[in-house]
Amino acid sequence: MAVSPAAGANHRVLIVEDDHTIAGNLFSFLEVRGFLPDVAYTGHAALARLKEQRFDALILDIGLPGMDGNAVLHALRNERRVDVPVLILTARDSLEDKLAGFSHGADDYLTKPFALLEVEARLLALIQRAKGSTVDSVRVFGPVQYDTRSRAVSVNGTPVHLTRKAGLIMEALMRDPGRVVAREELESMLWGNEPPSSDALRSQVHLLRRALADAGFDGIETMHGTGWRLTLGGASA
């Protein structure tokens, strides 16, 4: 069933795309569908626009000139603490590229070529989800609470103070508790395209595990050769 032309409901969407033809097609389509689109052709222009205006969602290409999409995501999530929903729209379709996008803070990932109606459907889902998440930003896993807005962590109400990198690992683990977060995903999130030493990630996980254990939670499980996950059934060294 086709989506109503009024489905956009005046939602403001920033299109970050250096291909003028693709950007123009997205702009025209979303405008007809009831959105209020805007366009930035570079990552730096996108950050400037986001500083000036509030948007309900962001369509982001990865292969941007000067500052790529992952760098834009990193600046939004880790420096400015902006939680605008982000749909990556890119020709990069490898698993590594997708993991990198999600680890930098993307909410959804769609590869080119794409159907305009699918872009619309994904945008509406992201915007609706974001509206729902504003009611309660706290994620709970057993005795652990994680606030997605402030990134505050507590165990049974006791605040847990974490280093920046340990906090990012905690965020990845709490995004979907019980899911195994791969070593490669965490390394990409923490160090980008600069591979760390072989023990660097293990050291950061150790710091996180020790901080949580001091507060009474010992539930980071090592999945040997794969990654880590949260569990309520004990932890593995």
Side-chain angles (χ1 to χ4, degrees):
M1 180 181 294
V3 181
S4 166
N10 292 324
H11 293 309
R12 299 184 60 84
V13 176
L14 179 61
I15 303 163
V16 189
E17 170 64 65
D18 64 315
D19 186 312
H20 287 232
T21 299
I22 293 176
N25 289 339
L26 286 166
F27 185 100
S28 298
F29 174 80
L30 292 175
E31 188 174 43
V32 168
R33 305 296 285 183
F35 293 83
L36 297 175
D38 199 355
V39 178
Y41 297 108
T42 68
H44 292 292
L47 291 177
R49 201 71 53 82
L50 286 160
K51 187 175 182 180
E52 299 167 353
Q53 302 178 39
R54 184 192 67 80
F55 291 90
D56 297 299
L58 181 66
I59 298 176
L60 179 64
D61 185 23
I62 295 298
L64 298 170
M67 182 184 200
D68 73 11
N70 285 330
V72 173
L73 270 173
H74 180 82
L76 286 178
R77 303 306 197 211
N78 296 286
E79 299 172 11
R80 299 189 181 183
R81 308 296 192 194
V82 175
D83 59 358
V84 59
V86 176
L87 168 63
I88 287 182
L89 193 60
T90 179
R92 300 183 185 182
D93 60 357
S94 72
L95 176 60
E96 291 77 13
D97 288 322
K98 293 176 182 178
L99 289 175
F102 284 119
S103 69
H104 282 91
D107 298 280
D108 201 356
Y109 197 108
L110 184 61
T111 57
K112 302 173 182 177
F114 55 87
L116 290 168
L117 284 173
E118 184 175 5
V119 172
E120 178 185 34
R122 288 177 182 253
L123 281 177
L124 289 172
L126 289 178
I127 292 169
Q128 188 61 40
R129 192 182 309 154
K131 286 184 175 181
S133 68
T134 58
V135 176
D136 185 3
S137 64
V138 177
R139 296 176 183 174
V140 179
F141 183 72
V144 180
Q145 289 192 347
Y146 177 78
D147 192 311
T148 59
R149 287 198 289 251
S150 67
R151 297 190 174 180
V153 179
S154 64
V155 175
N156 290 319
T158 300
V160 179
H161 302 289
L162 301 174
T163 65
R164 176 182 170 277
K165 283 185 170 60
L168 289 173
I169 294 172
M170 189 66 193
E171 178 179 345
L173 292 171
M174 286 294 291
R175 195 173 295 152
D176 186 8
R179 177 180 75 91
V180 177
V181 182
R183 171 183 293 274
E184 294 78 10
E185 180 179 344
L186 291 175
E187 287 180 343
S188 177
M189 178 178 67
L190 297 179
W191 291 282
N193 296 323
E194 300 178 2
S197 64
S198 59
D199 291 331
L201 179 57
R202 187 182 298 276
S203 296
Q204 293 299 326
V205 173
H206 174 73
L207 289 174
L208 173 59
R209 180 176 279 152
R210 186 174 65 184
L212 292 172
D214 288 345
F217 179 74
D218 187 27
I220 296 181
E221 182 179 9
T222 300
M223 308 301 292
H224 294 288
T226 306
W228 293 267
R229 69 177 179 181
L230 293 178
T231 176
L232 296 178
S236 172

Coordinates of all heavy atoms in Angstrom, one line a residue, residues 14 16-18 39-52 60-61 64-69 71-73 75-76 79-80:
L14 N 17.5 16.4 6.9 CA 18.7 16.9 6.2 C 19.3 15.8 5.4 O 19.6 14.8 5.9 CB 19.7 17.4 7.2 CG 21.0 18.0 6.7 CD1 20.7 19.2 5.8 CD2 22.0 18.3 7.8
V16 N 22.4 14.7 3.3 CA 23.9 14.9 3.2 C 24.4 14.0 2.1 O 24.7 12.9 2.3 CB 24.6 14.7 4.6 CG1 26.0 15.2 4.5 CG2 23.9 15.4 5.7
E17 N 24.6 14.6 1.0 CA 24.9 13.8 -0.2 C 25.6 14.7 -1.2 O 25.1 15.8 -1.6 CB 23.6 13.3 -0.9 CG 23.7 12.7 -2.2 CD 24.6 11.4 -2.2 OE1 24.2 10.4 -1.6 OE2 25.7 11.5 -2.9
D18 N 26.8 14.3 -1.7 CA 27.6 15.1 -2.6 C 27.2 14.9 -4.1 O 27.6 15.8 -4.9 CB 29.1 14.8 -2.4 CG 29.5 13.4 -2.8 OD1 28.8 12.5 -2.4 OD2 30.5 13.2 -3.5
V39 N 19.4 20.3 2.1 CA 20.5 19.6 1.6 C 21.9 20.2 2.0 O 22.0 21.4 2.0 CB 20.5 19.5 0.0 CG1 21.7 18.8 -0.6 CG2 19.2 18.9 -0.5
A40 N 22.8 19.3 2.3 CA 24.2 19.7 2.5 C 25.1 18.8 1.7 O 24.9 17.6 1.7 CB 24.6 19.6 4.0
Y41 N 26.0 19.4 1.0 CA 26.8 18.6 0.0 C 28.1 18.1 0.6 O 28.9 17.3 0.0 CB 27.0 19.4 -1.3 CG 25.8 19.7 -2.0 CD1 25.3 21.0 -2.0 CD2 25.0 18.7 -2.6 CE1 24.1 21.3 -2.7 CE2 23.8 19.0 -3.3 CZ 23.4 20.3 -3.3 OH 22.2 20.6 -4.0
T42 N 28.5 18.5 1.8 CA 29.7 18.1 2.4 C 29.5 17.8 3.9 O 28.5 18.3 4.5 CB 30.8 19.1 2.3 OG1 30.5 20.3 3.1 CG2 31.1 19.6 0.9
G43 N 30.4 17.1 4.5 CA 30.2 16.8 6.0 C 30.3 18.1 6.8 O 29.5 18.3 7.8
H44 N 31.2 19.0 6.5 CA 31.4 20.2 7.2 C 30.1 21.1 7.1 O 29.7 21.7 8.1 CB 32.6 21.0 6.7 CG 33.9 20.3 7.0 ND1 34.4 20.2 8.3 CD2 34.8 19.7 6.2 CE1 35.5 19.6 8.3 NE2 35.8 19.3 7.0
A45 N 29.5 21.1 5.9 CA 28.3 21.9 5.7 C 27.2 21.3 6.5 O 26.3 22.0 7.1 CB 27.9 21.9 4.2
A46 N 27.1 20.0 6.6 CA 26.1 19.3 7.4 C 26.2 19.6 8.9 O 25.2 20.0 9.5 CB 26.2 17.8 7.2
L47 N 27.4 19.6 9.4 CA 27.6 19.9 10.8 C 27.2 21.4 11.1 O 26.6 21.7 12.2 CB 29.0 19.7 11.2 CG 29.5 18.2 11.3 CD1 30.9 18.1 11.6 CD2 28.6 17.4 12.3
A48 N 27.5 22.3 10.2 CA 27.2 23.7 10.3 C 25.6 23.8 10.3 O 25.1 24.6 11.2 CB 27.8 24.5 9.2
R49 N 25.0 23.1 9.4 CA 23.5 23.2 9.3 C 22.9 22.6 10.6 O 21.9 23.2 11.1 CB 23.1 22.4 8.1 CG 21.7 22.8 7.6 CD 21.7 24.2 6.9 NE 22.7 24.3 5.9 CZ 22.6 23.8 4.7 NH1 21.5 23.3 4.3 NH2 23.6 24.0 3.8
L50 N 23.4 21.5 11.1 CA 22.9 20.9 12.3 C 23.1 21.8 13.5 O 22.3 21.6 14.5 CB 23.5 19.5 12.5 CG 23.0 18.5 11.5 CD1 24.0 17.3 11.5 CD2 21.6 17.9 11.9
K51 N 24.1 22.6 13.5 CA 24.3 23.5 14.6 C 23.3 24.7 14.6 O 22.9 25.2 15.7 CB 25.7 24.1 14.5 CG 26.1 24.9 15.7 CD 27.6 25.3 15.6 CE 28.0 26.1 16.8 NZ 29.5 26.6 16.8
E52 N 22.8 25.0 13.4 CA 21.9 26.1 13.3 C 20.4 25.7 13.4 O 19.6 26.5 13.9 CB 22.1 26.8 11.9 CG 23.5 27.4 11.7 CD 23.7 27.7 10.2 OE1 22.8 27.4 9.4 OE2 24.8 28.3 9.9
L60 N 22.4 10.3 5.4 CA 23.8 10.5 5.3 C 24.6 9.6 4.4 O 24.5 8.4 4.6 CB 24.4 10.4 6.7 CG 25.9 10.6 6.9 CD1 26.3 12.0 6.6 CD2 26.3 10.3 8.4
D61 N 25.3 10.2 3.4 CA 26.2 9.4 2.6 C 27.5 9.2 3.3 O 27.9 10.1 4.1 CB 26.4 10.1 1.2 CG 27.2 9.3 0.2 OD1 27.2 8.1 0.4 OD2 27.8 9.9 -0.7
L64 N 31.7 11.1 1.4 CA 31.6 12.6 1.2 C 33.1 13.1 1.0 O 34.0 12.6 1.6 CB 31.0 13.2 2.4 CG 29.5 12.8 2.7 CD1 29.1 13.4 4.0 CD2 28.6 13.4 1.6
P65 N 33.2 14.2 0.3 CA 34.5 14.8 0.1 C 35.0 15.5 1.4 O 34.2 16.1 2.1 CB 34.3 15.9 -1.0 CG 32.9 16.2 -0.9 CD 32.2 14.9 -0.5
G66 N 36.3 15.4 1.7 CA 36.9 16.1 2.8 C 36.6 15.4 4.2 O 37.5 14.9 4.8
M67 N 35.4 15.3 4.6 CA 35.0 14.7 5.8 C 33.9 13.7 5.5 O 32.8 14.0 5.2 CB 34.4 15.8 6.8 CG 34.0 15.3 8.1 SD 33.3 16.6 9.1 CE 33.5 16.0 10.8
D68 N 34.3 12.4 5.7 CA 33.3 11.4 5.3 C 32.2 11.2 6.3 O 32.2 11.8 7.4 CB 34.0 10.0 5.0 CG 34.5 9.3 6.3 OD1 34.1 9.7 7.4 OD2 35.2 8.3 6.1
G69 N 31.2 10.4 5.9 CA 30.0 10.2 6.8 C 30.3 9.7 8.2 O 29.6 10.1 9.1
A71 N 32.9 10.2 9.9 CA 33.5 11.3 10.7 C 32.4 12.2 11.2 O 32.4 12.8 12.3 CB 34.6 12.0 9.9
V72 N 31.4 12.5 10.3 CA 30.2 13.3 10.7 C 29.5 12.6 11.8 O 29.2 13.3 12.8 CB 29.3 13.5 9.5 CG1 28.0 14.2 9.9 CG2 30.0 14.3 8.4
L73 N 29.3 11.3 11.7 CA 28.6 10.6 12.8 C 29.4 10.7 14.1 O 28.8 10.9 15.2 CB 28.4 9.1 12.4 CG 27.2 8.7 11.7 CD1 27.3 7.3 11.2 CD2 25.9 9.0 12.5
A75 N 31.4 13.0 15.1 CA 31.3 14.3 15.7 C 29.9 14.5 16.3 O 29.8 15.1 17.4 CB 31.5 15.4 14.6
L76 N 28.9 14.0 15.7 CA 27.5 14.2 16.2 C 27.4 13.4 17.5 O 26.8 14.0 18.5 CB 26.5 13.7 15.2 CG 26.2 14.6 14.0 CD1 25.2 13.9 13.1 CD2 25.7 15.9 14.4
E79 N 31.0 14.1 20.2 CA 31.5 15.5 20.5 C 30.3 16.4 20.8 O 30.3 17.1 21.8 CB 32.3 16.1 19.4 CG 33.6 15.3 19.1 CD 34.3 15.7 17.8 OE1 33.9 16.8 17.3 OE2 35.2 15.0 17.4
R80 N 29.3 16.3 20.0 CA 28.1 17.2 20.2 C 27.0 16.6 21.0 O 26.1 17.2 21.4 CB 27.6 17.7 18.9 CG 28.6 18.5 18.1 CD 28.0 19.2 16.9 NE 28.9 19.9 16.1 CZ 28.6 20.6 15.0 NH1 27.3 20.7 14.6 NH2 29.5 21.3 14.3

